[in-house]
Amino acid sequence: KTFDDMLATLCDKSTGSDLSYTLYKYLECGQNIAKAAKELFIHRNTMIYRLKQISEIIDFDCKNLDNLYMIQTAFYVKKLLSI
């Protein structure tokens, strides 16, 4: 399973939910839950809940630095390819 597939799995078109954006913001904010929640205009507990959902959906440990680095790189590559 590629990281692009994993990120696509986080987008639920039927509900309009995009957990990949939540993960992107979490990484962009330096894994700071409070800061990411503030930028997403959600409660801190909602952010924690979403991170748990992400971990379950893609079977991914959001606290593992190697995993976070690989996902962050996937976001950068995706961004570069869309330019």
Side-chain angles (χ1 to χ4, degrees):
K1 197 172 194 182
T2 67
F3 284 104
D4 197 38
D5 292 337
M6 290 171 69
L7 296 177
T9 306
L10 296 174
C11 299
D12 186 354
K13 292 180 175 112
S14 65
T15 62
S17 173
D18 186 3
L19 290 173
S20 67
Y21 188 67
T22 299
L23 182 56
Y24 175 79
K25 277 296 183 186
Y26 174 68
L27 294 171
E28 186 179 64
C29 292
Q31 297 88 45
N32 184 321
I33 291 173
K35 185 176 178 183
K38 186 175 181 180
E39 289 206 13
L40 291 169
F41 304 103
I42 60 175
H43 192 274
R44 182 181 182 279
N45 290 342
T46 302
M47 185 69 191
I48 292 168
Y49 174 74
R50 287 184 182 182
L51 289 173
K52 285 180 184 175
Q53 279 186 306
I54 290 166
S55 293
E56 291 172 7
I57 290 170
I58 60 176
D59 191 27
F60 186 79
D61 181 8
C62 289
K63 294 178 184 174
N64 181 306
L65 293 178
D66 290 334
N67 289 344
L68 292 174
Y69 175 75
M70 287 187 287
I71 283 288
Q72 196 161 25
T73 301
F75 277 121
Y76 289 143
V77 168
K78 188 175 180 178
K79 188 175 181 179
L80 285 172
L81 292 175
S82 68
I83 292 178

